[in-house]
Amino acid sequence: MSAALPEGSKPFQFTGTANEWFGIWIVNLMLSIVTIGVYSAWAKVRTKKYFYNHTFVEGRNFDYHATGGQIFKGRLIVIAALIVYQVLLTAVPPLGLLLSLALLLAFPWLILRSMMFNARMSSFSNVRFGFDGTTGQAMLLMLVYPIGVLLTLYTTFPILDRAFKRFSIAHARLGGARFAAEFPLGAFYKAFAVAILWVIAVTFGGAALFGISVASFGMAAQNAQADPMAIMRLIGLAYVLFFAALLPAAFIYQAMTRNVVYNNTVLEGGHRLASAVSAPMLLWIALSNTIVVVCTLFLMLPWAQVRLARYLAAHTGYSLGGTLDDFVSQAQTTGNAVGDAFADFEGMGAGLPM
Amino acid sequence: MSYGQTQHVVRGAAYGAGASRRVEAQLSVAAEWAELRDMSGAILARAPRRLLQFDAPLGTAPRKVSFPDGALFETNDHAGFVAMTGQTTGAALHEYEAFGPRLIGVVLACVAAAWAIWRYGLDILAALAIAATPPAVIAQMDRGSLQVVDTTMAEQSTLSAAERAQVEDVFNRLTAALPEDIRADHSFTLLFRNMPGLGPNAFALPGGTMVMTDDFVKEFPDPDIIAGVLGHEMGHVVDQHGLYRLYRSVGSAVLIAFLAGDVGPILDDIVLEGNVLLSLSHSRAQEREADTFGLQLAAAAGYDPAGLAVFFQRIAEDYGGQEGMEWLFTHPLSQDRLQDIQTFIDSLPQNP
């Protein structure tokens, strides 16, 4: 959880401002409402373009090239497929199991297409990214590994997480230049252990300080019917546990692994990346953003998004191994917007890990 | 310069097709032709103006122009760029997005629209979704929910056959009193479960499966009360309140995701879970609708509609004594509601 970027690396620059983004965001919102959601595909492009365009490395920025039409078509196809799926399910119930199985098998393929599409539609310094992971690898990571994690009662979660992060970076390219991504497994387990220790420390610390214990939690659950106040206490305890123990633990793990991932990623040509985000700062930003956004009926959401983007950029670094002038775009498969739309519906962002 | 006079030149940077090599450059766009030169004046690209691709302006992000051969020019000189090219595609939108007092109107429009969607739009969407949901799916929902109830908090009923028969008699008389069109559209089943965690309670699932707890039958054996409560629950089923809440909560989560976009960590969880929590609390309007339906049905089946009010009052009195609180949790009681029941009773034609 180091707070400073390593010696010799310079931070990314984010030049977007809350005022300017607010204007674009609110017009996006209004046009999306007026067109009953149709414009939201174009709004998505404008949003991504805004954040990419305002992110600079060495005076060169990122760009996003998908068109609203592509995104819209992808969404239509996914919606149509979902409707067909539902109709088939109700018309021929025995097909249900078969259909679920087909969807399960198609899932990794769709996510992979989405990663390809997003990489191909993103550029830095006029050179397109690319992604060349294979369907076999995606199946392994998204279907086989998770079963292993379940069977080992989540003790192997860091292995899966590391493998997935490695997959999404080691198979990415900027033009023809590859990313080397060798993340030490020990660092992932360290992050996992620190997060779990936090939960344990808070639980026992809370027990010692307030006389709350896991046993009383269980008792409260048992006696809920005899004493209605116990229900309130139970709900209160669950919230305390969530905000004091689980939420910070999640941020600790995310922040530590993000730093490990960036600090061990090198773009061909000797260009090193770095990250020095801190879990307490990220948690503070996320919590205060949430409070401000809710209290302003979402009107401060653009401010909150710019604030987070600015923090992440300032704590993401690079050190050049030479000139940035030698990258060249490569012709390659583009994936498709259907996978991207599917990932949107699933709530999975599969873009560049910014 | 060998080509015709150009009135404006804008300075920026140029890239070759698909390459990251960046050079300082100057762009000139005249009525017919556009030229891209490096700082020594050597031509990098030249094309008829109509073949250029101007990226739509987006805030203060660098402006970009592509030549047909893939060469790209970008500049931060926004004013110079517009002066040279005039308005290009997307200029109107860009102007509209500029931060200024005009946005107040847009904000008000959005807030009004968001309120309208919340108040009316979601109901319309939910009604459409309910109409599109096949009965088989609703029946499946009932089976699924019942299974969850049975595995998590319900035990087999311990009621005697006589106790059951008494409630079933009320239930049968109520269903017989249902209007023809409602009987054609809905079928009701009554089940008994021992659910110590729920106290005296009754609930209905969207497909017409109704569950009454043993505690209820033991504490409120009065047929008038049973008729009032069962009628109330049937009202929820007939007006599809459960499905409305479900579709409303799913619909608002989807709308927020698609309209507001990525809301960021923590907040996304709150949006999702907040909607689920909201969907759990019955709305007052729904409770009143169900009350009205239940009172009418109970009266039509020959029961005293005051039974429901008696039940509410007894529950409220017992409130301090802890039991029955769970009922109030899901069925908020208000003075208005009791009054509405009284008004309804008063409006009934007096039976001898």
Side-chain angles (χ1 to χ4, degrees), chain B residues 145-158:
Chain B
S145 310
L146 195 63
Q147 211 160 35
V148 173
V149 167
D150 278 342
T151 49
T152 55
M153 48 185 177
E155 295 156 23
Q156 284 223 315
S157 172
T158 57

Side-chain angles (χ1 to χ4, degrees), chain A residues 20 46 60 90 126 305 324 329, chain B residues 16 18 20 60 97 137 262:
Chain A
E20 181 178 276
R46 233 167 149 64
R60 302 161 188 246
T90 33
N126 194 35
Q305 289 170 325
L324 287 174
S329 291
Chain B
S20 69
T60 52
E97 289 167 342
V137 171
D262 183 13

Side-chain angles (χ1 to χ4, degrees), chain A residues 3-15 54-62 124 258 262-263 272-277 309-320 324 354:
Chain A
L5 288 168
E7 192 93 2
S9 76
K10 290 186 266 184
F12 279 48
Q13 238 196 321
F14 182 74
T15 55
H54 277 292
T55 305
F56 286 85
V57 167
E58 212 61 19
R60 302 161 188 246
N61 68 354
F62 291 79
F124 168 69
R258 183 188 197 268
Y262 277 76
N263 291 335
R272 304 194 68 89
L273 293 179
S275 168
V277 296
R310 198 165 272 180
Y311 176 80
L312 286 178
H315 293 81
T316 306
Y318 65 92
S319 61
L320 299 182
L324 287 174
M354 266 303 286

